[in-house]
Amino acid sequence: MPRTLQEQLDQVERDIKLFTEFDRAEKARLNCESYLWTAEDRIEWQETQSDNARRLRELLDEREALRRQLNL
């Protein structure tokens, strides 16, 4: 069943919030634990951060597109 634009926007907003909270938690973890990490751990963390940032940018773009459609 197709969702309305508002429902899609609400879901994107929830996803943005989750990615933002995860990012905040990961940066706090970096500050607390990074001295214990191996080089591989640091590389993995950086790759995860890069992937999350890319997904967050996609969500922000999607949110903007949905907002524009709702305001037409």
Side-chain angles (χ1 to χ4, degrees):
M1 183 167 142
R3 297 184 307 178
T4 66
L5 288 176
Q6 185 61 52
E7 289 171 335
Q8 291 175 38
L9 179 59
D10 292 344
Q11 181 62 52
V12 168
E13 292 283 355
R14 285 190 296 273
D15 291 346
I16 288 170
K17 183 178 178 184
L18 289 173
F19 271 90
T20 303
E21 289 173 358
F22 177 76
D23 183 59
R24 196 173 303 124
E26 280 298 293
K27 287 179 179 164
R29 185 171 74 95
L30 172 72
N31 290 333
C32 292
E33 300 175 5
S34 64
Y35 69 94
L36 298 171
W37 294 356
T38 65
E40 287 179 2
D41 293 334
R42 286 186 177 92
I43 291 169
E44 182 179 324
W45 187 87
Q46 289 173 337
E47 289 172 348
T48 300
Q49 285 297 104
S50 178
D51 291 343
N52 288 342
R54 186 177 311 111
R55 180 62 182 137
L56 185 56
R57 280 190 304 274
E58 291 170 356
L59 288 168
L60 292 170
D61 291 344
E62 185 177 347
R63 177 179 69 182
E64 186 59 33
L66 288 167
R67 284 180 174 173
R68 279 195 305 268
Q69 289 179 20
L70 280 170
N71 289 329
L72 290 179

